[in-house]
């Protein structure tokens, strides 16, 4: 899916525990047997929020149950948070802000600008607040090296992310590397990165019975 709309969320009350994302705010399996997947999605819209967790793709990837996977997604949107509470860790990210569940974040690209009002907010183009104890695998993700990072970035995020100049990101060589890890990207006619739209085979049927002719 693709989001082209800007998201603005403001309130006068506390936004601790609230999550906002360009594609999905809160990704949560219903039990341990479930797997939630977000694949081949693009966020082009900006996200402006006071929420504790803000991201271009998924605000929070799971909490307590199941497995969450994010793969081959692209964020172009600007993500900003004016969250003002220091009571709990807060995050701003291009891909996912909080990933406490088992799962994976693989072969994604983050290009949108990031900003936070408080210096205590963790900011990273790939992932912000993580819980490595849960076995959330972060690998083969790429981001624009000019983007803001701040706070205590987990080693798993650093190891699973590669920062490159935008001109180098927009090369077929880089996209081949991302695609080899499971991505699905190409350069459009203007040289910009895009997720390749999925295609499906359709079978046409006559009313009531298959067409055997």
């Amino acid at each position: 899916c693709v989001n082209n709309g800007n998201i603005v969320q403001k309130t006068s009350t506390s936004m601790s525990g609230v999550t906002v994302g360009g594609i999905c705010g809160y990704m949560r399996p219903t039990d341990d047997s479930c797997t939630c997947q977000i694949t081949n999605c693009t966020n082009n819209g900006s996200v402006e929020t006071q929420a504790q967790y803000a991201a271009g793709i998924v605000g929070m990837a799971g909490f307590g149950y199941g497995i969450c996977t994010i793969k081959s997604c692209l964020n172009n949107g600007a993500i900003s948070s004016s969250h003002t509470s220091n009571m709990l860790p807060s995050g701003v990210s291009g891909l996912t802000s909080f990933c406490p569940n088992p799962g994976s974040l693989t072969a994604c690209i983050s290009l949108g600008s990031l900003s936070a009002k408080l210096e205590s907010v963790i900011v990273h183009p790939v992932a912000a607040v993580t819980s490595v104890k849960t076995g959330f695998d972060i690998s083969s993700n790429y981001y624009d090296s000019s983007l803001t990072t701040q706070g205590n970035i987990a080693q798993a995020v650093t190891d699973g992310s590669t920062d490159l100049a935008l001109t180098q990101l927009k090369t077929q060589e880089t996209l081949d590397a991302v695609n080899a890890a499971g991505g699905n990207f190409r350069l459009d006619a203007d040289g910009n990165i895009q997720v390749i739209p999925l295609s499906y085979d359709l079978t046409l049927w006559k009313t009531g019975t298959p067409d055997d002719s």
Side-chain angles (χ1 to χ4, degrees), residues 14-187:
S14 170
M15 294 302 293
S16 294
V18 175
T19 69
V20 177
I23 298 297
C24 173
Y26 188 8
M27 181 181 179
R28 183 179 182 182
T30 56
D31 58 55
D32 285 335
S33 66
C34 292
T35 297
C36 288
Q37 299 181 1
I38 292 184
T39 306
N40 295 322
C41 290
T42 301
N43 176 54
N44 295 317
S46 63
V47 176
E48 182 182 352
T49 179
Q50 291 173 283
Q52 184 177 354
Y53 305 111
I57 304 299
V58 181
M60 181 187 290
F63 194 80
Y65 299 102
I67 296 173
C68 295
T69 65
I70 305 166
K71 184 177 181 181
S72 188
C73 291
L74 170 66
N75 179 59
N76 292 312
I79 313 300
S80 64
S81 172
S82 55
H83 187 68
T84 57
S85 174
N86 286 309
M87 295 180 63
L88 294 169
S90 303
V92 173
S93 178
L95 300 177
T96 183
S97 180
F98 187 25
C99 40
N101 266 42
S104 60
L105 172 60
T106 309
C108 294
I109 298 175
S110 183
L111 304 179
S113 64
L114 307 169
S115 63
K117 184 175 182 178
L118 294 181
E119 292 184 1
S120 61
V121 174
I122 300 172
V123 179
H124 193 276
V126 172
V129 183
T130 62
S131 178
V132 295
K133 294 180 181 179
T134 62
F136 193 87
D137 177 62
I138 301 173
S139 61
S140 303
N141 301 288
Y142 290 75
Y143 67 93
D144 182 351
S145 59
S146 70
L147 298 181
T148 299
T149 63
Q150 74 174 35
N152 184 19
I153 307 300
Q155 189 63 45
V157 175
T158 302
D159 292 344
S161 310
T162 300
D163 62 316
L164 296 174
L166 187 58
T167 53
Q168 190 174 354
L169 280 170
K170 293 181 176 182
T171 63
Q172 191 58 51
E173 180 182 2
T174 298
L175 296 190
D176 286 345
V178 185
N179 291 344
N184 191 35
F185 299 97
R186 68 185 179 191
L187 295 172

Side-chain angles (χ1 to χ4, degrees), residues 9-15 50:
Q9 177 274 317
K10 294 183 178 181
T11 179
S12 59
T13 60
S14 170
M15 294 302 293
Q50 291 173 283

